[in-house]
Amino acid sequence: MVMEDYLISNHFIEERIKAMIRFLRFMSLFRLSADRLKPMLKVRSEYLDEILDKIFNTYGTVEEYFKNTCEINYSSVEKLRNLITE
């Protein structure tokens, strides 16, 4: 479910990606191709997998990551979980 929602972001940011590619190509004096830029701007399952692996290996759980790195307390994490799962 999370991965599907994450990957569908590509659909919703498609126009923004096109605009960023045009801007970056212009700023690079057209030395960068759209083919080289597009993978950096799209969301990919490997990106989410990598960050989740890092979180689990370092903190054990997402909740511990929120608490220790983002300074979000457990009651706020629980409220967030309830909002997401409703």
Side-chain angles (χ1 to χ4, degrees):
M1 175 79 169
V2 172
M3 184 64 77
E4 292 170 4
D5 289 347
Y6 174 69
L7 293 174
I8 203 164
S9 298
N10 283 318
H11 171 73
F12 294 107
I13 62 173
E14 187 173 348
E15 292 304 314
R16 182 173 281 169
I17 288 173
K18 288 177 185 176
M20 283 296 296
I21 288 172
R22 284 191 300 271
F23 174 76
L24 292 169
R25 291 196 71 229
F26 176 76
M27 293 303 291
S28 73
L29 301 175
F30 300 96
R31 290 178 289 186
L32 295 173
S33 70
D35 291 337
R36 289 186 70 195
L37 292 167
K38 200 170 191 176
M40 292 185 282
L41 300 172
K42 293 182 78 170
V43 300
R44 298 171 60 153
S45 60
E46 303 89 65
Y47 302 158
L48 186 57
D49 288 338
E50 185 175 331
I51 194 63
L52 287 174
D53 287 344
K54 179 73 171 173
I55 287 171
F56 291 132
N57 289 331
T58 304
Y59 301 97
T61 66
V62 173
E63 290 83 356
E64 285 298 315
Y65 167 75
F66 284 152
K67 181 182 175 207
N68 295 309
T69 303
C70 303
E71 299 180 4
I72 300 174
N73 62 43
Y74 284 120
S75 64
S76 294
V77 170
E78 193 59 34
K79 289 176 187 175
L80 179 60
R81 179 184 288 113
N82 290 335
L83 282 172
I84 292 171
T85 59
E86 287 181 350

